[in-house]
Structure formats: structure tokens, C-alpha cells
Amino acid sequence: MALDLADYERQTKEAVMAFWGNREQARQKQIEAGVTDQGERAGVTGGKNMDGFTALIIDLVKRNGLAHAQIHQNRALLTLPGYFRPTKLWDLLVMIDGRLIAAVELKSQVGPSFGNNFNNRTEEAIGTAHDLSVAYREGALGKHPRPFIGWLMLVEDADASRRPVTDRSPHFPVFSEFQGASYLKRYDVLCQRLVQEQLYTAAALIASPRSAAEDGAFADLSDLTSVKTFVTGLAGHIAAEAARG
């Protein structure tokens, strides 16, 4: 049976529009209430900015044979055991009869402070995946096939995120891929290596300008980190689980 990719391009555009629209609504509500956060936090504290991507993932699960799966979005049901720490809160879990089918993290970063947040996001992504991988190896998730582990990141497409960045490493050279690389390029390298090192089953990077609130415009930076690769991998994993019965 062919995989159903859930008209992912349309749904991704809608998710991008919702992302930017929700951020602006949250900012306006704070202004009207006379309460303001520092910098870009005004658009973050409203929450639910990535809900459009959650809807896409849920649609992929249902269309590829696991309509009966339990899809958890409630914070109280999103915790998984770790190995280096007791637990980790994920953004979305797909389960069947107590078995973990998929775990996905949905993250974003907008300017202007790309430099301040890149390292934090990187460390979080690596640590989260490695922690769960070792916990799985040690039997924390039961003796079941390895779940799909996904990381999807939306980064603002702006002059500051595309501008070459210089690093200082006085003792040893920086890997060539990072030399003069913009923050968008750095995120692309990160996502590629997260998959190549098998920390994640799929890692998608979406670049989108603020003007996308009007048209949902977005861009992929490489085939390995594209939305299509992400949704195809997830749909294939779901279809395989459905066939397993």
C-alpha cells in the first residue's frame, strides 16, 4: 500500500501561517493587557505556536493505518523515562497498548538572538535523543521495536539567520562545514548529523520569514532535512507498525 503523506505541503504552509499568526496574537494580547515580556518572549508565552505541525503528524498517523493509536498532547501524559536523568517531557507521543510508537519534539527559533539560542537548542537536541536511546537500550521502554524519534525545527528566515558567522577556536580548527556558516546552515548541519549519527530517525529544518503569516512560505535547506523526508519517514514507520498488527 502506498504511503499517504497527508497533503503535507499544504498542511505545512497552514502550520507556518498559524505559527506566525499565533505569535502575533500573543504579542497583541500582552500589549492590550499592559503586560510585556522581554524581546521575542511576547510571541512565545502564548504557547501552541507549533500546533499546526502537531496536526500534520496526527493526520499522518491516522492516514497510514494507526487511527486507533493513542496520541498524547497533554503535558501530564508526555513524560518518558531517561537514563541520565529520571524523566524527559516530549511534545507529542504516539502509543498503542502501552507501547511507544513515536516521540517527536517540535521546536522553533526566531531572531534577533540566534547566537544565544543555537547552542542551547543543539545541546538540548543531542541530550534528549541520546538519553532516550540509552534508556531504550537498557529496557526502559520494554522489549519492543525501536520507536520513531523525530525533531522538527522552524527557524526564522531573516538576514541575521543567513549572515555568515565567524567562530573563534584558538587551539584547534573548527570543522569546515561550520566555518563562516550562517545559523540556518548550522542548524542544517546539526539536523543532518543528528540523523547520520542515528540519534533521531528524522530531523527536519524549516526556514520561514515573518511575512509567511500571509502565505505560509517556507524553504528546506537540504534533502535530508526536508519536510518531505521527515513526513515520509514517519508515514513509513507508522505503516510498518500497522502492518505488524
Side-chain angles (χ1 to χ4, degrees), residues 131-192:
D131 194 27
L132 184 65
S133 179
V134 179
Y136 170 80
R137 184 195 70 195
E138 296 300 313
L141 306 180
K143 301 298 182 181
H144 303 296
R146 182 178 289 271
F148 176 96
I149 307 299
W151 199 69
L152 186 149
M153 180 82 180
L154 186 153
V155 178
E156 181 183 359
D157 193 342
D159 289 343
S161 63
R162 287 192 174 273
R163 186 181 304 127
V165 180
T166 301
D167 288 281
R168 295 190 182 121
S169 179
H171 304 294
F172 304 99
V174 175
F175 277 100
S176 60
E177 295 87 346
F178 291 118
Q179 292 178 9
S182 68
Y183 285 111
L184 273 172
K185 175 60 177 177
R186 289 163 192 238
Y187 270 117
D188 188 46
V189 173
L190 168 66
C191 288
Q192 290 190 40

Side-chain angles (χ1 to χ4, degrees), residues 79-88 90 131-133 135-136 139-141:
T79 300
L80 291 177
Y83 181 78
F84 298 96
R85 56 184 166 184
T87 60
K88 166 68 173 78
W90 289 72
D131 194 27
L132 184 65
S133 179
Y136 170 80
L141 306 180

